[in-house]
Amino acid sequence: MRLTPLTESLPASVPFVGPEAQERARGGPFAARLGANESVFGPSPRALEAMRNAAADGWMYGDPEAWELREAIAAHHGVAVESVVAGEGIDGLLGYLVRLLVAPGDAVVTSAGAYPTFNYHVVGFGGTLHPVPYRDDHEDPEALAAKAREVGAKLVYLANPDNPMGSWHDATRIAALIDALPEETLLCLDEAYAEFALPEAIPPLDPGDVRVIRMRTFSKAHGMAGLRVGYAIGHPDLIRAFEKVRNHFGLNRVAQAGALAALGDPDWLMEVRARALQSRDAIAAIAHANGLVPLPSGTNFVAVDCGHDGDFARRVLSGLLERGVFVRMPGVAPLDRCIRISCGTQADMEALGAALPDALVAARS
């Protein structure tokens, strides 16, 4: 093989080890799948019906422009269709964005411990990451802006609400971050969990602002993680540039039909949000009952402070995995004192409640 020097220098890795690989390693399925921030409540019944109907036409490529879906997204947000690009989840869109903007050696700023797939793309295209630490379990907008000015960053990444901590900033602080960035710096604002957030955490959409691109997804509240449908809203010139690099047949016909139907079912979205809020309370109660501290969350998961260092939290996580409960945890100190537990069903909560005490005993022994 004649790999490029950059590719030769990269490790063969993925940002996450899937639960399927872990199930193969442990020789059996998990009783509760609470690690990937999927929606165990599933897609809208309308989306399921639309996807069943579209499956018969699955032999055809999907619309390479995803026109009907983009029109519906634009109408939903009150923006022009020219300000919307759809793609293979936020992960896919992040890859396209980095490919568009980041040349080898270009400076990119993010938070140490934030969503690792963004870092994966930046390193994969030869960019130079400049991470800044979290502050009080929140990404630090002022530090991000200061670092961007220091290194002349092409791109700054911020998730609001945040993954993996579940914390958030209000719209005023996000606006101040945008104003504090250098003139040529773009903010990638990842809003994957917007449907679970308090309204004051989400700034008004302004596709005319060349300084920011907003990322949204059907993976979380809409329950379509495996279908890989995401979208970005930004200035029409930037959105048009995605046509230079994106996989035009990346969104299949079934996924487009499902997302379109999901967008048209706000009642299901409200039900999922209510179930997630109920599950967040249940996770918090289980944590408290075991002497742990659940952090406030604006997402469909709860970060639980295990009260010690990352080694202890990893032992707790390992104990849960051994007892059939799949969860994950942040990978960078001091965030890694926590484990991260996705919202689930009543049965999932019962499995978590049964496994956690024994996992803690094992971690302390």
Side-chain angles (χ1 to χ4, degrees):
M1 291 187 296
R2 301 179 65 187
L3 301 179
T4 68
L6 172 60
T7 306
E8 285 278 14
S9 73
L10 298 175
S13 64
V14 294
F16 305 103
V17 178
E20 294 82 7
Q22 296 182 53
E23 287 175 331
R24 288 190 291 271
R26 69 189 298 269
F30 289 116
R33 183 172 168 132
L34 302 175
N37 303 339
E38 302 147 322
S39 175
V40 303
F41 312 116
S44 153
R46 294 186 195 175
L48 289 172
E49 181 181 9
M51 289 188 285
R52 281 192 292 266
N53 293 337
D57 293 328
W59 58 272
M60 289 187 282
Y61 292 116
D63 177 4
E65 298 181 10
W67 182 259
E68 192 175 1
L69 176 58
R70 288 171 54 230
E71 274 196 320
I73 291 168
H76 178 74
H77 289 295
V79 301
V81 69
E82 291 81 12
S83 294
V84 178
V85 61
E88 308 91 315
I90 289 178
D91 289 355
L93 292 168
L94 288 174
Y96 297 140
L97 180 67
V98 171
R99 183 178 175 188
L100 283 171
L101 298 180
V102 179
D106 282 347
V108 177
V109 171
T110 186
S111 301
Y115 190 51
T117 301
F118 177 73
N119 304 355
Y120 177 81
H121 289 307
V122 172
V123 172
F125 285 105
T128 301
L129 280 167
H130 296 271
V132 301
Y134 277 61
R135 184 169 64 186
D136 299 327
D137 295 325
H138 290 66
E139 294 196 60
D140 188 339
E142 291 77 20
L144 290 168
K147 180 60 72 172
R149 293 192 296 269
E150 175 189 334
V151 301
K154 278 275 196 77
L155 188 60
V156 172
Y157 175 87
L158 172 74
N160 193 55
D162 173 65
N163 180 13
M165 302 309 285
S167 52
W168 68 93
H169 297 292
D170 63 31
T172 301
R173 198 164 181 191
I174 298 300
L177 166 61
I178 296 169
D179 289 339
L181 292 175
E183 184 177 348
E184 297 300 317
T185 301
L186 179 74
L187 174 65
C188 177
L189 185 56
D190 184 338
E191 296 177 320
Y193 300 94
E195 289 85 359
F196 300 105
L198 295 171
E200 55 264 32
I202 306 301
L205 286 165
D206 180 12
D209 193 337
V210 298
R211 303 171 298 172
V212 61
I213 185 169
R214 313 273 287 269
M215 300 281 185
R216 298 284 182 93
T217 186
F218 287 85
S219 293
K220 307 304 181 184
H222 290 290
M224 296 177 59
L227 275 297
R228 312 310 303 129
V229 188
Y231 60 97
I233 298 174
H235 191 279
D237 290 347
L238 176 58
I239 297 302
R240 192 177 306 114
F242 278 80
E243 298 303 314
K244 299 174 181 286
V245 298
R246 74 181 181 89
N247 176 4
H248 290 78
F249 292 105
L251 277 184
N252 66 70
R253 184 173 292 267
V254 174
Q256 290 188 40
L260 183 62
L263 200 62
D265 194 353
D267 291 341
W268 179 254
L269 198 62
M270 291 178 62
E271 182 172 342
V272 168
R273 177 180 167 82
R275 291 185 186 182
L277 294 178
Q278 184 179 42
S279 182
R280 281 192 338 214
D281 290 342
I283 294 168
I286 292 168
H288 282 305
N290 286 274
L292 308 182
V293 179
L295 303 187
S297 175
T299 66
N300 69 336
F301 63 84
V302 178
V304 175
D305 189 338
C306 293
H308 297 282
D309 61 9
D311 288 339
F312 179 79
R314 276 182 281 277
R315 293 198 297 272
V316 176
L317 181 141
S318 178
L320 288 171
L321 295 177
E322 290 171 5
R323 290 160 178 82
V325 177
F326 166 58
V327 299
R328 285 193 172 130
M329 64 181 291
V332 174
L335 310 183
D336 66 351
R337 72 189 193 281
C338 299
I339 57 173
R340 193 196 67 189
I341 305 172
S342 302
C343 293
T345 63
Q346 179 63 32
D348 291 329
M349 295 299 99
E350 291 172 0
L352 173 65
L356 184 56
D358 291 339
L360 287 167
V361 169
R364 291 170 179 142
S365 63

